[in-house]
Amino acid sequence: SGVTTIFPSSPLPEITDPVTIDGYSQPGSSPNTLAKGTNAALKIQLNGTNTGGNGLLINAPNSVVKGLAIHRFGGDGITVFGSASGIKIEGNFLGTDASGTQDLGNGDDGIFVINSNNHTVGGTSPAARNLISGNKGDGVVLDEAGVRGTRIQGNLIGTKKDGVGSLGNSLSGVNIGHSANNPVSSNTIAFNGLNGVRITGTFTTANGNTVLGNSIFSNGQLGIDLGANGVT
């Protein structure tokens, strides 16, 4: 009836076939139903203390990860790369315990996406909302290898599960490199150490990214920093 914690003793293998990892299949768990914050009940924790590396490594299209608390990995909580496309990451806590209130941050980013396209982090429904907080790097990174069409929507990035308390990521909430046409919408992005949303690159390498309808406040530097060069 309580929370089950999985402690891998070595780095996890790369996921190369499409898969659905559904923590909500665990008895007693349930997805969020709130319009603000999250009341998701997570019963599976993935604790990377003993691995020294990244958490889930997804290199397979059309995979789904939901209903997990992923924390204490030395690198990123979830890494998406390679041939992966159409990945859905929804209803997870990345960087906190299963209560959504304690800082158990991963050593680098909550979610790191590189060289792959058309993913969804969060979504339009309350059940899809991720909590991405307490990580030692950024909350979500779309790296400079050219990520396209990846939607970051409806998440709590840098808060506790209530969407109000402070549990910031050490760097920025969302960090977009030389990647284009990625919508960032309807998120709460707060209490992060640097920017709320940071977009680097040029007009040709980072064009078409949209930042719309978010609540962005109480970050260490700018709410939205275009060019990563401070106030201009």
Side-chain angles (χ1 to χ4, degrees), residues 29-189:
S29 64
S30 59
N32 173 51
T33 59
L34 299 178
K36 295 183 179 180
T38 175
N39 62 357
L42 304 187
K43 298 299 183 179
I44 299 290
Q45 298 186 119
L46 191 57
N47 186 314
T49 300
N50 299 324
T51 70
N54 294 311
L56 299 179
L57 300 168
I58 305 175
N59 185 13
N62 303 315
S63 293
V64 179
V65 179
K66 59 183 177 180
L68 301 178
I70 301 175
H71 52 243
R72 290 285 176 90
F73 284 91
D76 307 310
I78 297 177
T79 303
V80 177
F81 66 104
S83 63
S85 63
I87 305 301
K88 294 182 179 180
I89 301 172
E90 53 188 34
N92 303 285
F93 293 178
L94 292 131
T96 79
D97 68 340
S99 76
T101 61
Q102 299 300 312
D103 182 350
L104 300 180
N106 296 291
D108 207 337
D109 308 311
I111 299 171
F112 182 84
V113 183
I114 181 171
N115 199 29
S116 60
N117 304 319
N118 302 317
H119 311 299
T120 303
V121 177
T124 58
S125 71
R129 181 172 299 138
N130 297 291
L131 174 65
I132 308 169
S133 299
N135 298 289
K136 307 311 178 190
D138 300 298
V140 182
V141 175
L142 307 184
D143 194 59
E144 297 185 358
V147 178
R148 302 288 187 271
T150 291
R151 184 176 299 276
I152 303 169
Q153 185 173 38
N155 304 287
L156 303 173
I157 304 176
T159 73
K160 295 182 179 181
K161 68 181 295 184
D162 60 4
V164 177
S166 173
L167 198 61
N169 300 287
S170 296
L171 299 182
S172 294
V174 176
N175 188 355
I176 299 176
H178 292 278
S179 300
N181 301 317
N182 300 289
V184 180
S185 63
S186 303
N187 304 282
T188 297
I189 305 173

